[in-house]
Amino acid sequence: MDSTPIPSRRFDIVIIGSGVAGVYTALCAPDSLSIALITKESVEISNSSLAQGGIAVSLGDNDSPELHLRDTLYAGAGLCDEDAVRVLVEEARPVIEDIRIRGVDFDRGAGTQLSLGREGAHSQPRIVHAGDTTGKEVCDKLTALLLRRPGVTVLERTMALDLLVSDGTCRGLTVLDEPTGTIRPILADRVVCATGGYGRLYAHTTNPEVATGDGASLAYRAGAALMDLEFIQFHPTVLWHPRNRTFLISEAVRGEGAVLRNLSGERFMTAYHPMADLAPRDVVARAIFAEMHRTGTPHVWLDITSVDRNRLESRFPNIFRTCLGYGIDMSRDPIPVTPAEHYCMGGIRTDLAGQTGIRGFFACGEAACNGIHGANRLPSNSLLEGLVFGRRIGEEFRDLALRKAASPEPAGSEADAGGAYAPASPDTAASSPDRSHPPIPPLPPLPPDETAALRHEIQTLMSDRVGIVRNASGLGAARDR
């Protein structure tokens, strides 16, 4: 056995993931702390940057946090944690004010007032937005600030593998340096998981290729509890085109007056829900699925031809331009759409401070589950959740900064791990009162062609058996396979 000390690096905090949750957590942490932000691709690739619609916040004269709370509970089918939702809606306004101060630029209406859009299941217009690329605006501005901040190291193409857990406390993690194929440890006092969801388990998804559930998996292996994994949101309106079946047509398009029609041109949502085309996403997705099944067609139409072309080009520049590139002028032509996997409500179970069952290990954003979304996320609550709980976690690290000030230690330097910590196993992982999952036996690596075939089989199985409409026999077959 090679007893040579393992070279490692040490930081006060390691954040896994470069979406809005991870970046804002880093920005809200005390300046005196050394932070490593790792991402398995480049820093700008994340689900957050693809978010089109906007961020929900009660700013209108007829709106309030209480109404926002009611809408969230309703969309979540009664399965939300009300305390968590209350935190979300009450801390929305100060978070939006903070990121505006940091340079995020939202669309404005008359005068200095922010323009407020409306989306499905919202009783009031409350979506602040930056055209139809809100996620990109937020991520670009906040990431630029983070890259200029002293004490922050960004490690791109670095994949988190396993947490390092000793005596029930997270001490860091092992990572794969993708360009060199080297596995090495990074030691830290706190680790934050902001890796996003697991949408790539499905064949048809709006998620980027990085959304493969790494965070939930490494947390599970370390002994953390997972929660609500069965709640998967399918976005009702994703472009159906031979050359593109992953491009999202924002919920905000229906908020601006678009209606859904079947291939006979009939408006059908009025028969499925009192809110018609602005019903909750799960209702709309199932209705579209039912219409496609009833008519034997692969898609339905999203019709916004009643809205002026100039308004469409200014409000939805990216969607308008993309559709036009596929020969669809949305001011004159209905858009062919179909549902696709979009968002995971479940994830690593946390409390309202983002803490998991492993000391020193936190989670936020889509990787986490604190009960806010219940069975179905209210549109535009996702970026908001990443911001609100990223800020809460960042502020949790004040005690670490105070301790560091009292007894400073060098951070971010080469250190000797010396075999002191090892990846958590079912025998040594943090004990948790909720930990009941069995150990995962190690598997030998598969050849690339077998890996690709297995991935395809998993995605097909999940889409066919664990999709929009499920039944006992299909779920049983998927579980057994």
Side-chain angles (χ1 to χ4, degrees):
M1 180 176 179
D2 184 356
S3 60
T4 306
I6 303 169
S8 66
R9 300 184 71 178
R10 175 177 287 280
F11 296 88
D12 296 316
I13 302 167
V14 174
I15 298 172
I16 315 168
S18 60
V20 68
V23 169
Y24 197 55
T25 298
L27 287 174
C28 292
D31 291 344
S32 60
L33 298 177
S34 63
I35 299 174
L37 186 142
I38 70 173
T39 177
K40 66 181 180 181
E41 283 295 336
S42 57
V43 71
E44 70 273 5
I45 297 178
S46 69
N47 247 354
S48 299
S49 63
L50 298 177
Q52 294 178 344
I55 304 174
V57 54
S58 52
L59 297 177
D61 293 339
N62 298 319
D63 203 1
S64 68
E66 191 65 30
L67 286 176
H68 188 182
L69 180 141
R70 290 181 194 173
D71 291 347
T72 301
L73 296 178
Y74 175 72
L79 293 170
C80 306
D81 183 303
E82 188 167 336
D83 291 338
V85 178
R86 194 167 296 281
V87 167
L88 182 81
V89 300
E90 291 181 352
E91 296 184 13
R93 182 181 285 225
V95 157
I96 295 301
E97 291 173 353
D98 181 63
I99 65 172
R100 290 182 67 197
I101 291 170
R102 294 178 188 266
V104 175
D105 189 20
F106 295 110
D107 295 341
R108 299 175 185 275
T112 60
Q113 298 297 312
L114 294 181
S115 176
L116 300 176
R118 187 178 175 189
E119 296 179 342
H122 286 273
S123 59
Q124 298 290 328
R126 65 166 66 96
I127 315 300
V128 297
H129 49 79
D132 56 356
T133 54
T134 306
K136 188 175 189 308
E137 166 67 14
V138 175
C139 287
D140 285 355
K141 295 291 176 60
L142 297 185
T143 301
L145 285 177
L146 185 66
L147 294 176
R148 295 197 297 268
R149 178 171 165 175
V152 172
T153 301
V154 176
L155 302 174
E156 296 184 314
R157 294 177 177 83
T158 301
M159 183 174 178
L161 298 180
D162 278 294
L163 298 180
L164 303 175
V165 178
S166 176
D167 298 325
T169 299
C170 183
R171 313 287 186 176
L173 71 164
T174 55
V175 301
L176 170 68
D177 181 75
E178 294 175 14
T180 65
T182 303
I183 295 175
R184 57 190 174 88
I186 299 179
L187 308 182
D189 294 297
R190 304 284 189 275
V191 174
V192 181
C193 183
T195 54
Y198 37 95
R200 282 282 163 171
L201 282 175
Y202 288 84
H204 191 196
T205 177
T206 63
N207 287 194
E209 291 187 357
V210 295
T212 51
D214 307 348
S217 297
L218 68 85
Y220 182 93
R221 290 194 297 272
L226 305 183
M227 173 178 168
D228 288 354
L229 300 187
E230 70 273 28
F231 295 143
I232 306 290
Q233 184 171 82
F234 293 81
H235 198 287
T237 54
V238 177
L239 180 66
W240 189 92
H241 190 276
R243 287 186 288 139
N244 192 330
R245 295 187 184 176
T246 63
F247 183 71
L248 183 68
I249 307 297
S250 171
E251 187 108 9
V253 175
R254 279 180 283 135
E256 289 288 328
V259 297
L260 288 159
R261 301 184 186 278
N262 60 28
L263 262 65
S264 300
E266 302 164 337
R267 185 180 178 186
F268 59 84
M269 276 309 303
T270 52
Y272 286 92
H273 196 275
M275 296 182 75
D277 300 274
L278 289 177
R281 281 182 179 173
D282 59 331
V283 174
V284 180
R286 285 195 298 271
I288 292 174
F289 185 85
E291 286 294 310
M292 289 165 51
H293 181 75
R294 184 178 67 82
T295 59
T297 52
H299 65 84
V300 296
W301 300 109
L302 183 66
D303 183 359
I304 195 168
T305 56
S306 61
V307 177
D308 177 72
R309 180 190 180 99
N310 291 333
R311 170 61 181 167
L312 294 176
E313 284 191 274
S314 63
R315 177 65 180 89
F316 305 112
N318 185 47
I319 295 174
F320 193 96
R321 185 170 55 249
T322 300
C323 287
L324 208 56
Y326 294 113
I328 303 164
D329 181 344
M330 58 192 286
S331 68
R332 297 185 306 174
D333 309 319
I335 307 168
V337 295
T338 186
E341 192 284 334
H342 182 58
Y343 189 88
C344 303
M345 275 70 73
I348 306 164
R349 188 165 76 179
T350 71
D351 63 14
L352 297 186
Q355 298 187 65
T356 70
I358 300 173
R359 289 190 299 276
F361 179 52
F362 296 74
C364 59
E366 192 176 356
C369 183
N370 49 30
I372 281 176
H373 304 305
N376 177 56
R377 175 175 64 83
L378 185 70
S380 290
N381 269 354
S382 54
L383 289 178
L384 178 62
E385 181 197 6
L387 292 166
V388 166
F389 287 89
R391 186 180 189 182
R392 284 190 148 223
I393 293 173
E395 291 175 349
E396 279 285 308
F397 298 151
R398 289 175 182 170
D399 66 322
L400 185 60
L402 291 173
R403 273 209 313 277
K404 182 180 178 182
S407 56
E409 297 177 0
S413 59
E414 295 294 322
D416 175 14
Y421 309 118
S425 71
D427 296 325
T428 61
S431 58
S432 164
D434 304 295
R435 183 172 167 266
S436 58
H437 48 72
I440 303 175
L443 298 173
L446 293 173
D449 57 339
E450 290 186 34
T451 301
L454 183 58
R455 181 185 299 112
H456 175 74
E457 183 186 355
I458 290 171
Q459 291 173 328
T460 302
L461 182 69
M462 290 294 290
S463 294
D464 291 347
R465 303 290 192 174
V466 198
I468 296 172
V469 177
R470 309 172 185 183
N471 57 47
S473 62
L475 290 172
R479 177 199 59 201
D480 293 344
R481 178 61 185 133

